[in-house]
């Protein structure tokens, strides 16, 4: 009997020590701006797209009540109806979809029993699925992953973004976040990569549910 009581007490202490992480799973939708900057000498261009992401993450406790590691997976889709493309390709509608794997370090700070502040940061690995363009004048459609941005410029599917943000957890049930990420990889992997650099960035507002 004494052994059983000791076991129950130890389990209770473990659960109490990880109360902040009672809801380890987060399902979140994000909405915002995705910008792709074409850094061309004397003729820089930026394609601003609007859309969102839907994903899930699982938080692994590292330090009781304070720090956790939260890997996840997301699907993103962004589009713009009037984007001025580089290389004299003119105005076009432009859309991108991708899969992303965020690898965040989370810091939790309790404001009250029902409200907690979340500070998070880390890299996100992106893999592009589609990047479709439809020129307004000619009506031509193509995927720029296939080399439509001229033969000397190859738009790579892969990117690594670094960033972070702030969040607010309410009653261990709902999470609100704001996040900014910047792509550190030059997405021009063609022969002009040293001259023409292509970088992506994202600013998102998110809302999610904790389980």
């Amino acid at each position: 009997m004494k052994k059983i009581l000791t076991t129950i007490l130890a389990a209770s202490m473990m659960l109490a020590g990880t109360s902040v992480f009672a809801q380890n799973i987060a399902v979140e939708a994000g909405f915002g701006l995705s910008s792709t900057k074409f850094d061309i000498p004397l003729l820089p261009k930026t394609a601003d797209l609007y859309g969102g992401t839907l994903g899930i993450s699982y938080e692994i406790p590292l330090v009781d009540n304070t720090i956790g590691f939260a890997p996840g997976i997301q699907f993103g889709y962004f589009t713009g109806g009037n984007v001025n493309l580089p290389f004299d390709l003119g105005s076009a509608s432009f859309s991108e979809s991708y899969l992303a794997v965020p690898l965040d370090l989370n810091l939790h700070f309790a404001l009250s029993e029902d409200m907690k502040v979340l500070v998070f940061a880390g890299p996100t690995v992106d893999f592009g699925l589609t990047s479709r363009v439809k020129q307004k004048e000619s009506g031509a459609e193509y995927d720029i992953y296939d080399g439509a941005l001229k033969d000397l410029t190859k738009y790579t599917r892969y990117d690594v973004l670094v960033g972070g943000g702030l969040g607010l957890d309410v009653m261990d049930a709902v999470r609100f976040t704001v996040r900014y990420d910047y792509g550190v990889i030059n997405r021009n992997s063609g022969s002009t990569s040293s001259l023409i650099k292509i970088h992506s960035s994202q600013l998102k507002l998110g809302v999610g549910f904790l389980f």
Side-chain angles (χ1 to χ4, degrees):
M1 184 68 177
K2 183 178 179 180
K3 185 175 181 181
I4 294 175
L5 290 175
T6 302
T7 303
I8 294 174
L9 179 60
S12 300
M13 292 178 66
M14 290 178 64
L15 290 173
T18 59
S19 59
V20 168
F21 299 97
Q23 282 68 38
N24 295 74
I25 299 175
V27 178
E28 185 173 0
F31 311 91
L33 169 68
S34 177
S35 296
T36 299
K37 183 178 180 181
F38 301 88
D39 193 1
I40 306 168
L42 303 178
L43 293 170
K45 294 280 188 178
T46 300
D48 290 331
L49 309 179
Y50 298 90
T53 59
L54 180 64
I56 186 170
S57 64
Y58 182 83
E59 183 161 356
I60 303 168
L62 298 179
V63 177
D64 289 349
N65 301 331
T66 307
I67 302 175
F69 172 62
I73 186 167
Q74 298 176 345
F75 171 78
Y77 179 82
F78 289 82
T79 185
N82 190 21
V83 176
N84 291 318
L85 296 174
F87 312 114
D88 297 322
L89 291 175
S91 180
S93 61
F94 186 18
S95 64
E96 284 196 318
S97 64
Y98 62 87
L99 289 177
V101 178
L103 303 168
D104 287 336
L105 189 67
N106 291 351
L107 279 72
H108 300 264
F109 303 95
L111 295 179
S112 66
E113 184 177 349
D114 294 329
M115 298 183 69
K116 301 179 181 70
V117 172
L118 173 67
V119 180
F120 54 90
T124 299
V125 181
D126 277 10
F127 175 76
L129 299 176
T130 62
S131 189
R132 300 292 302 174
V133 169
K134 182 177 181 180
Q135 290 182 282
K136 290 188 177 297
E137 293 184 3
S138 66
E141 295 187 44
Y142 45 82
D143 192 320
I144 63 175
Y145 289 132
D146 296 332
L149 294 177
K150 304 295 185 179
D151 293 337
L152 297 179
T153 306
K154 184 178 180 182
Y155 191 59
T156 180
R157 294 179 183 270
Y158 301 96
D159 200 2
V160 176
L161 297 92
V162 176
L166 298 172
L168 180 66
D169 291 351
V170 180
M171 300 182 67
D172 286 331
V174 182
R175 173 172 292 172
F176 302 96
T177 58
V178 58
R179 181 184 187 114
Y180 176 79
D181 292 285
Y182 180 78
V184 298
I185 291 180
N186 178 10
R187 299 188 70 178
N188 177 14
S189 61
S191 59
T192 61
S193 60
S194 61
L195 180 65
I196 301 172
K197 301 185 184 300
I198 304 174
H199 289 277
S200 300
S201 63
Q202 287 188 357
L203 178 63
K204 294 186 299 183
L205 299 176
V207 60
F209 297 94
L210 306 176
F211 300 94

